[in-house]
Amino acid sequence: MFPNRKKGCGVHFWEALFLAGLCFWIFVLGSAVFLWMVLPLPLEKIESLESSAVVLDRRGEWLCVFLSPREEYVFPVSLEAMGKWLPRVALELEDRRFFMHRGVDFSALLREFLNFLVHGRNTSGASTITSQLIRLVEPRSRNIWSKFVEFVLALKLESVMSKEEILEAYLNWVPVGGNLRGVEAGSRYYFGKAAQELSLSEACVLAGLFPKPEKLRPDVHLSEALGKRNRVLWTLYKRGVITEEAYRGALSEKLSGEAHPFPQFAYHASLWLRELVGGQIIQSTIDGRLQAWIERVISSYLLSFDSQITLACVLVDNHNAEILAYLGNARWREKTPGGWVDCAQALRSPGSALKPFAYLLAFERGLLVPSSVLSDVPWGFSGNTPRNFDDKFRGPVTAREALAASLNVPAVRLGRKLGYDSLLFYLRETGFSHLTGDPRFYGDALLLGGCEVSPLEMAQGYLVLATLGKWRPLQILKGTKSVPLWKNLATEEASFLVADILAERMREERRSRGDATPLFAFKTGTSSGLRDAWTICYHPRYTLVVWMGDPRGRSHAELVGIRATFPIARRIMAYLLKGSGEFYAPPPGIVFREVCPVSGKLSTEQCPGSVLAPFIKDVSPLEKCDVHSGLTADTTDFDFSLQGVWHPQAVSIVSPIGGKKYLLSNPQGVVQIPLSFEGEEDVFWFVDGDFAGRARPRETLFVELGKGEHRVSLCSQKGMIKEVLFEVGPPGKEVAGGEML
């Protein structure tokens, strides 16, 4: 075997070296075979990269991004979705011979070994992309043995995965700074675009991060990142990968170094969707641009309120019942107490916001029409006396006025006439699923805020009014395969009457201010104790619910619907309704008839005049005015309150005297005015629209009045209405006919 070996000599040096080398490689190969057999391949870990959940808006744009289970931002994409330049640049920098070796580049290993012998240290490294992927998936301490294990697993991995699959996995696993993992996360964060949209210059910056991501981040170390980019571009040009023109163009490209944080809009809606359907990519029905605008204007609006007060809103597209905007808690970014609560799904008192549904049923069942006269006077119900929000009573009012002004007594009378079991069943049908109590549990309080609903339920319920009677469940998940069909829960005609009434206050505001805001219907609500403020707006195109309150349920003086929520709701609706078409037109079943302006019933020849009022054909009551015709009716007080039957001969005002001037002895003082009447039934006195008291027959009340014109009216139990106008003032040159008190 060794012919030149001299007899009698010991083992020759080269023979010993050869034997040692042979033993070494036998050991290496044996160890490699052993490790190949016993080491498990981390294939499942590679393929199960825990990615971040991404919620998309209706256009497919990113709406809200969550951290992965490993508290990282990770967005795995296919190799094709990484664009033209990024994989190519990564190969040139990390493993030029990637497609030539089988997981271990032995020529690079030999080169590294020789460098070590010459220089005494590693100079370039011999890791391949495959072995780096193994190290990323299963981190080990950096030593020769770990390197050997990684090389064995790299060889093993390439026997089951294609080169393209390995490269794709590596580019999705590679850290790119901070808690960013993968080229898609880096591309979106550093450049605000998908990886496939990166330019050559941007691809060089991103790929240049791989060895030292924290030291070369363009958002922190821009000059270092640009320097590395320039060196990478020169390498690509020198190797003939890019042309001189491409090199110079990429070299001159400006980079801002500005980070692009991942979007966090519709946060609570996104949480809801993630829990509802799971998955990494979830497409919602939300309009991201509209959501961002709403969040911005609401955040600005809340600056003038106590920091403990927050706002939630839900915006629905009436055409398809899709949620276009969802703000669960406007304070969630501020980390205030309760900021984590999704108030859009929290149960709160609705105040008077459910009253329109009682009127809807009453119109639909032919119990009354908008011109019907109802009674707004103090009256006890089961030991309780409902009062209006302003503590005033209006006496006789039309149903239109009662609903538009959200009066409590007419609503309670109406609820009793409908039957709370019937009303409660209907409210549940429209979407108020948390109204699970017995009708006797709620009683009259059902229409006064003595129950609990969520803003999301309010949007579902008001969708019936906004679509003129149609219903289907709200949609927030885009592309739902089986969307329920619309079903009818109310007639178009009854729904139109409610919408027409709820738009009345908006009409008055437009007339008084010359406002050009498109017309829409709205209802406000304020809960007892000033804990919840609501405004619900709707139009043929949209339904908007705005709620404000303290998540802890505390009272705040600012929480009055018309003052707290209406201004911001009005601004949103004005923005939405630009070019969105006209308000509701009367359906074919709506007819207009002449009614008496006093009784609200069909006018007769005896009536002093008439006005046009809407009726539902073949449904609404067609009673003729019995006030001016001298007719009487034997009816209960409740029947009066619903149908408006009056008794003109029952009572009369004795004092004060209409048209007189009551004189003040002191121009700055007040005068006591006696309130007396003739009649045999109790009456309710009103002074300048304010309730003054209840009086029995032959009982006199006294009120103190100052300078000015005043109006005193009474309403009897049977519906008789009397009114006088008079003046209080100091003596003048002409005092004839004045009463000196």
Side-chain angles (χ1 to χ4, degrees):
M1 184 175 180
F2 297 99
N4 295 326
R5 180 173 61 88
K6 295 182 180 179
K7 294 181 180 180
C9 293
V11 178
H12 193 274
F13 171 76
W14 295 107
E15 181 180 357
L17 184 62
F18 174 80
L19 290 174
L22 181 62
C23 291
F24 172 77
W25 284 111
I26 291 174
F27 173 77
V28 169
L29 292 175
S31 299
V33 171
F34 176 76
L35 291 175
W36 181 288
M37 295 176 63
V38 299
L39 283 178
L41 192 62
L43 192 60
E44 290 186 2
K45 292 183 180 179
I46 294 173
E47 295 175 344
S48 60
L49 176 60
E50 295 178 308
S51 62
S52 301
V54 179
V55 178
L56 308 177
D57 78 345
R58 63 191 301 109
R59 299 183 184 90
E61 298 174 358
W62 284 25
L63 182 68
C64 189
V65 177
F66 296 95
L67 289 167
S68 73
R70 295 174 52 167
E71 300 295 314
E72 296 176 320
Y73 288 110
V74 188
F75 314 111
V77 294
S78 67
L79 190 61
E80 292 75 17
M82 295 178 188
K84 171 185 177 182
W85 288 114
L86 192 57
R88 195 170 178 183
V89 174
L91 287 174
E92 287 294 325
L93 294 181
E94 299 297 316
D95 191 354
R96 290 186 68 194
R97 292 169 48 81
F98 176 70
F99 285 98
M100 300 178 187
H101 60 68
R102 298 300 300 171
V104 178
D105 190 347
F106 290 102
S107 63
L109 276 175
L110 179 59
R111 182 181 66 248
E112 187 66 13
F113 177 70
L114 294 175
N115 285 334
F116 179 77
L117 292 178
V118 174
H119 301 286
R121 58 183 176 84
N122 295 328
T123 57
S124 59
S127 295
T128 62
I129 283 179
T130 312
S131 64
Q132 289 185 58
L133 175 59
I134 295 293
R135 185 166 62 248
L136 289 172
V137 175
E138 291 185 334
R140 294 178 174 84
S141 57
R142 304 298 294 272
N143 53 52
I144 294 177
W145 176 250
S146 296
K147 201 88 166 176
F148 182 65
V149 170
E150 290 166 4
F151 284 154
V152 172
L153 289 177
L155 290 167
K156 191 173 182 179
L157 182 62
E158 294 226 2
S159 68
V160 296
M161 289 181 68
S162 69
K163 287 288 189 180
E164 289 76 11
E165 291 172 335
I166 292 171
L167 179 59
E168 177 184 301
Y170 169 73
L171 293 175
N172 281 322
W173 271 90
V174 65
V176 289
N179 61 347
L180 304 173
R181 183 177 293 276
V183 295
E184 185 72 9
S187 177
R188 289 186 178 271
Y189 186 80
Y190 296 127
F191 307 110
K193 62 180 71 174
Q196 63 182 352
E197 299 171 355
L198 290 180
S199 66
L200 171 60
S201 174
E202 293 165 336
C204 289
V205 172
L206 187 55
L209 281 173
F210 296 172
K212 300 176 180 179
E214 291 303 326
K215 294 183 178 181
L216 296 171
R217 291 178 54 164
D219 63 326
V220 179
H221 307 289
L222 180 59
S223 60
E224 289 83 351
L226 290 175
K228 181 61 181 286
R229 178 203 67 175
N230 296 344
R231 293 192 296 274
V232 172
L233 285 170
W234 172 251
T235 299
L236 296 178
Y237 171 59
K238 185 173 61 175
R239 292 177 180 175
V241 178
I242 60 175
T243 64
E244 182 178 356
E245 182 182 1
Y247 167 69
R248 296 191 180 281
L251 202 62
S252 63
E253 184 175 331
K254 302 294 183 181
L255 297 177
S256 67
E258 180 182 353
H260 301 267
F262 301 117
Q264 294 280 300
F265 297 111
Y267 177 73
H268 288 96
S270 299
L271 277 177
W272 175 30
L273 277 167
R274 189 177 65 168
E275 294 171 2
L276 188 66
V277 298
Q280 277 68 53
I281 304 295
I282 307 166
Q283 186 166 14
S284 70
T285 62
I286 292 174
D287 185 321
R289 299 168 195 173
L290 183 57
Q291 176 80 28
W293 180 84
I294 287 176
E295 290 193 22
R296 186 168 61 252
V297 297
I298 285 176
S299 180
S300 176
Y301 181 70
L302 283 179
L303 292 176
S304 60
F305 288 86
D306 188 299
S307 62
Q308 306 305 314
I309 295 175
T310 190
L311 184 151
C313 80
V314 180
L315 175 66
V316 179
D317 185 336
N318 297 335
H319 292 170
N320 48 29
E322 291 183 350
I323 296 175
L324 296 177
Y326 182 111
L327 182 58
N329 191 322
R331 301 277 190 188
W332 77 270
R333 298 178 191 271
E334 302 173 24
K335 310 302 180 184
T336 57
W340 55 271
V341 177
D342 183 358
C343 296
Q345 298 194 49
L347 298 179
R348 308 292 299 211
S349 166
S352 61
L354 300 184
K355 288 176 183 174
F357 296 95
Y359 286 86
L360 174 70
L361 288 183
F363 293 149
E364 187 172 83
R365 296 177 184 180
L367 298 179
L368 74 163
V369 290
S371 62
S372 297
V373 177
L374 308 178
S375 175
D376 182 35
V377 296
W379 197 255
F381 295 93
S382 302
N384 298 313
T385 303
R387 304 183 69 85
N388 295 315
F389 181 77
D390 58 4
D391 286 329
K392 297 180 180 180
F393 294 93
R394 275 78 170 171
V397 293
T398 64
R400 176 181 291 275
E401 294 168 334
L403 176 55
S406 195
L407 303 180
N408 288 337
V409 174
V412 169
R413 292 180 182 274
L414 192 55
R416 287 198 164 197
K417 182 66 174 178
L418 290 166
Y420 286 119
D421 53 347
S422 174
L423 178 58
L424 188 58
F425 176 79
Y426 184 73
L427 288 171
R428 289 169 181 162
E429 267 199 310
T430 59
F432 296 99
S433 58
H434 285 92
L435 297 180
T436 56
D438 186 88
R440 290 172 295 181
F441 171 77
Y442 298 112
D444 297 328
L446 181 64
L447 294 173
L448 304 180
C451 57
E452 290 186 323
V453 304
S454 70
L456 189 63
E457 289 178 333
M458 195 72 81
Q460 180 72 80
Y462 267 79
L463 180 64
V464 174
L465 300 179
T467 57
L468 298 187
K470 296 182 176 63
W471 180 95
R472 78 174 179 191
L474 297 178
Q475 306 294 316
I476 195 170
L477 185 63
K478 191 70 174 174
T480 304
K481 293 182 179 179
S482 56
V483 178
L485 298 175
W486 291 95
K487 64 179 181 180
N488 294 321
L489 289 186
T491 64
E492 287 189 23
E493 291 77 14
S495 304
F496 167 78
L497 293 180
V498 172
D500 188 56
I501 292 172
L502 294 181
E504 190 62 33
R505 291 169 72 183
M506 191 67 194
R507 288 193 187 95
E508 293 176 1
E509 186 173 321
R510 283 160 45 120
R511 284 193 295 266
S512 63
R513 298 185 179 182
D515 196 349
T517 302
L519 187 65
F520 58 86
F522 76 92
K523 179 72 183 74
T524 60
T526 304
S527 67
S528 176
L530 303 181
R531 291 177 173 83
D532 305 272
W534 298 80
T535 293
I536 304 96
C537 308
Y538 66 92
H539 174 275
R541 189 72 175 86
Y542 303 103
T543 297
L544 173 68
V545 176
V546 177
W547 168 89
M548 286 181 68
D550 188 326
R552 299 167 298 175
R554 297 182 180 180
S555 176
H556 294 268
E558 305 101 309
L559 294 177
V560 177
I562 194 65
R563 297 200 295 267
T565 51
F566 179 69
I568 187 63
R570 184 178 182 278
R571 181 178 178 185
I572 294 172
M573 290 299 286
Y575 177 82
L576 291 171
L577 296 181
K578 294 177 181 178
S580 291
E582 297 299 321
F583 196 61
Y584 302 94
I590 292 291
V591 294
F592 288 84
R593 303 183 186 278
E594 292 185 351
V595 300
C596 173
V598 178
S599 69
K601 299 180 180 181
L602 297 177
S603 62
T604 66
E605 294 180 355
Q606 288 78 24
C607 294
S610 64
V611 294
L612 286 176
F615 284 67
I616 301 177
K617 187 178 181 181
D618 300 328
V619 173
S620 299
L622 299 177
E623 297 176 291
K624 292 185 177 180
C625 175
D626 52 5
V627 172
H628 299 100
S629 63
L631 297 176
T632 62
D634 184 14
T635 181
T636 65
D637 174 72
F638 182 78
D639 288 335
F640 152 73
S641 72
L642 191 63
Q643 302 295 344
V645 180
W646 295 359
H647 302 263
Q649 77 285 7
V651 294
S652 60
I653 296 176
V654 174
S655 174
I657 301 172
K660 296 294 184 177
K661 181 176 183 180
Y662 290 76
L663 303 181
L664 292 168
S665 57
N666 179 357
Q668 304 301 323
V670 295
V671 63
Q672 277 201 331
I673 303 292
L675 307 181
S676 60
F677 71 100
E678 289 184 352
E680 300 300 323
E681 55 183 291
D682 289 3
V683 299
F684 304 94
W685 287 102
F686 298 85
V687 178
D688 297 328
D690 294 335
F691 177 65
R694 178 174 179 172
R696 296 183 176 88
R698 291 168 293 282
E699 180 182 2
T700 299
L701 298 182
F702 288 88
V703 293
E704 292 184 343
L705 298 176
K707 178 182 176 181
E709 293 184 350
H710 299 280
R711 180 183 64 185
V712 168
S713 57
L714 65 74
C715 178
S716 73
Q717 284 183 288
K718 293 184 178 179
M720 177 63 189
I721 303 297
K722 287 291 183 178
E723 181 178 273
V724 293
L725 299 174
F726 59 95
E727 182 183 357
V728 172
K733 293 182 179 180
E734 297 181 0
V735 297
E739 297 285 345
M740 185 69 175
L741 298 176

